[in-house]
Amino acid sequence: MSIIVNLDVMMAKRKMSLNELSEKVELTLSNLSILKTGKAKAIRFTTLEAICKALDCQPGDILEFRE
């Protein structure tokens, strides 16, 4: 089982660059890149909330569970 991170999909739908999202959620580019590529082992709810606010989406739009 695994959690798939669809951050790149939501960013493309909102036409937002990694730099722009980084500024809006106040995270470093490297931390966002780790999340975007699915290499992150965890995410704080405050970070997820900030990303959802910036992208105007729900957590389920970014995170997906697959068997």
Side-chain angles (χ1 to χ4, degrees), residues 30-48:
S30 59
N31 283 339
L32 266 180
S33 181
I34 289 169
L35 182 60
K36 183 179 152 191
T37 57
K39 295 179 182 177
K41 299 295 180 193
I43 183 171
R44 293 178 186 207
F45 282 143
T46 54
T47 302
L48 185 58

Side-chain angles (χ1 to χ4, degrees), residues 3 11 20-22 38 45-46 48-50 53-55 66:
I3 301 293
M11 288 172 53
E20 188 178 351
L21 183 59
S22 173
F45 282 143
T46 54
L48 185 58
E49 180 181 358
K53 282 182 181 179
L55 293 174
R66 290 193 193 159

Side-chain angles (χ1 to χ4, degrees), residues 21-28:
L21 183 59
S22 173
E23 289 175 9
K24 287 187 175 200
V25 298
E26 298 180 356
L27 281 178
T28 64

